[in-house]
Amino acid sequence: MTEKEVEKLLREYPRLTEKIFNFNQDWRRLHEEKEEFLRRYPQYSEGAIRTAPTNDINDPTFDTVYKAIRVFDRHVERLAKNLRECIAKKEKVEELFNALEPIEYDVIDYYYFRGLRPNYIALKLYISRATFFRLKKQAIWKMAKASEAIKLG
């Protein structure tokens, strides 16, 4: 992972928790809607209609509902995939934090997650502005190197 990719992940990190929550809520809502539909209309489930192996179902209502359920299932799978990706990103960033010293973590936390300005962060941490930028660059470099070590290990 390059330093640019690490910075991109750090910028995205504060929104990952919200995305995970929203994906999870959407997934639950869609899953509940499908379950409610199948409870309300059991005649439209796949197992409800029996045909011989050579016969096709020619009921247009069943075909429409079956297609809608398949579209719904694909949507749920896409939500689940997005949820897994967000969780993986969040876990990766949190794992990369282990490579940082406490002051470096504070610099990253204040700058990327809390949105504070460099001058204010420098004052808060009792460091110069130049030291802030040096620590920020050093922390990102360490995180990039740690991600490479994780890939190799």
Side-chain angles (χ1 to χ4, degrees):
M1 184 177 262
T2 66
E3 291 177 29
K4 294 278 186 195
E5 291 170 331
V6 169
E7 281 190 84
K8 182 180 175 189
L9 258 179
L10 289 173
R11 285 189 187 101
E12 188 178 4
Y13 182 79
R15 293 181 301 278
L16 285 176
T17 304
E18 182 182 344
K19 281 183 174 181
I20 290 169
F21 178 78
N22 289 338
F23 286 143
N24 200 13
Q25 292 294 94
D26 289 345
W27 182 83
R28 280 191 186 141
R29 181 182 48 80
L30 288 171
H31 192 66
E32 287 171 2
E33 286 175 4
K34 179 182 177 186
E35 291 299 316
E36 179 61 31
F37 176 82
L38 291 175
R39 252 192 316 276
R40 195 176 296 164
Y41 303 105
Q43 68 271 25
Y44 292 122
S45 66
E46 284 184 71
I49 298 178
R50 297 177 184 220
T51 60
T54 58
N55 292 347
D56 288 334
I57 301 171
N58 291 326
D59 182 7
T61 305
F62 178 81
D63 290 340
T64 303
V65 170
Y66 181 70
K67 287 177 188 174
I69 290 174
R70 284 189 18 214
V71 167
F72 168 84
D73 287 340
R74 281 195 302 268
H75 187 66
V76 168
E77 282 303 313
R78 189 175 68 244
L79 279 174
K81 180 181 168 234
N82 290 341
L83 178 64
R84 285 189 297 271
E85 287 174 1
C86 283
I87 290 171
K89 283 181 185 179
K90 188 171 193 268
E91 288 173 350
K92 183 169 189 139
V93 170
E94 289 170 355
E95 190 173 335
L96 294 177
F97 288 152
N98 294 332
L100 301 178
E101 298 294 322
I103 186 107
E104 294 168 338
Y105 177 79
D106 287 342
V107 165
I108 295 297
D109 179 39
Y110 290 144
Y111 186 73
Y112 287 104
F113 308 152
R114 298 182 190 196
L116 301 178
R117 296 180 182 248
N119 290 340
Y120 183 75
I121 296 169
L123 285 171
K124 190 169 180 72
L125 296 176
Y126 302 106
I127 57 177
S128 69
R129 191 170 190 272
T131 303
F132 162 79
F133 284 108
R134 182 179 52 78
L135 286 171
K136 179 177 157 257
K137 184 174 182 170
Q138 181 178 328
I140 290 171
W141 181 82
K142 279 185 176 180
M143 291 175 80
K145 291 300 175 195
S147 72
E148 294 299 322
I150 291 169
K151 281 184 185 176
L152 297 176

